């Protein structure tokens, strides 16, 4: 439906790394990315998600099958030391609910992913999917809805869309492990790298019509 592509596949390390991605209103892009990487490389990607998702009845077994968890920091480090890739969206549910077609990063002061990368001595790879906010849109991002979400954390804003826009996941250059960089500085560096990918590849503000027209443009796929 989205004529999905990956750009910058050469930036994906052969060894372990933390893949940091922007969280759209519906992370269908990340799901497509996991499937495509497995098909191309045979690698499984371990995914870190909000623990609130596990409150959905019957979903725990399914998530365990697809290597998705809300692990402790120690478990994350162990997974990376075993040589695996790990995906995380620092913005989480707030970025999912509060984001819009201006694509601001809503990370707050989150730095746990950076500390895990330092502890595991692995690089961080920023990723950004072009047009994800045009395909799936959060409805009702108003003060009452924000008030409700902050007090009832499992609450997810209603969505609309499924517009068949062009989705391209751009993989940025890895940010290498540096023992002299603190978690705060590494998180800031990752955010700047993500913003650079966004500014290079995304029309701001996003446009559904523009994203639909891109379906007819020629791109270099999965490279």
């Amino acid at each position: 439906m989205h004529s999905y592509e990956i750009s910058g596949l050469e930036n994906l390390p052969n060894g372990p790394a933390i893949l940091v991605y922007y969280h759209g209103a519906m992370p269908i892009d990340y799901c497509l990315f996991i499937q495509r990487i497995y098909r191309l490389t045979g690698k499984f990607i371990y995914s870190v998600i909000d623990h609130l998702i596990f409150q959905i009845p019957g979903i725990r077994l399914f998530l365990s099958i697809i290597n998705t968890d809300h692990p402790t920091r120690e478990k994350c480090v162990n997974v990376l030391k075993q040589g695996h890739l790990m995906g995380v969206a620092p913005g989480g549910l707030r970025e999912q609910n509060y984001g819009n077609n201006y694509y601001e990063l809503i990370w707050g002061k989150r730095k746990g992913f950076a500390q895990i990368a330092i502890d595991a001595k692995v690089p961080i790879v920023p990723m950004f999917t072009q047009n994800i906010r045009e395909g799936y849109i959060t409805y009702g991002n108003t003060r009452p809805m924000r008030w409700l979400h902050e007090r009832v954390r499992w609450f997810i804003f209603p969505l609309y869309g499924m517009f068949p826009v062009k989705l391209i996941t751009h993989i940025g250059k890895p940010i290498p492990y540096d023992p002299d960089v603190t978690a705060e500085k590494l998180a800031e560096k990752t955010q700047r790298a993500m913003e650079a990918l966004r500014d290079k590849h995304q029309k701001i503000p996003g446009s559904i019509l523009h994203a639909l027209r891109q379906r007819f443009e020629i791109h270099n796929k999965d490279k």
Side-chain angles (χ1 to χ4, degrees), residues 158-174:
L159 304 175
Y160 69 95
M162 289 189 69
F163 299 116
V165 300
K166 182 71 177 182
L167 294 183
I168 307 174
T169 294
H170 299 277
I171 305 175
K173 293 187 179 300

Side-chain angles (χ1 to χ4, degrees), residues 107-167:
W107 290 10
K109 297 182 179 180
R110 291 186 174 177
K111 59 181 182 179
F113 70 95
Q115 187 61 59
I116 290 170
I118 293 172
D119 293 344
K121 300 180 180 180
V122 300
I124 291 178
V125 181
M127 305 194 313
F128 176 82
T129 299
Q130 187 176 348
N131 300 323
I132 188 60
R133 283 284 171 188
E134 283 60 67
Y136 304 85
I137 302 169
T138 301
Y139 175 77
N141 186 5
T142 61
R143 183 175 296 179
M145 297 284 274
R146 285 174 175 256
W147 180 89
L148 181 61
H149 175 72
E150 294 301 328
R151 285 157 180 76
V152 187
R153 284 281 292 119
W154 58 265
F155 183 76
I156 297 175
F157 289 4
L159 304 175
Y160 69 95
M162 289 189 69
F163 299 116
V165 300
K166 182 71 177 182
L167 294 183

Side-chain angles (χ1 to χ4, degrees), residues 20-23 50 88-97 105-108 110 113:
V20 174
Y21 63 96
Y22 173 82
H23 202 307
D50 196 302
V88 60
L93 288 178
R94 285 190 175 88
E95 195 165 79
Q96 171 179 316
N97 284 340
L105 301 188
I106 307 175
W107 290 10
R110 291 186 174 177
F113 70 95

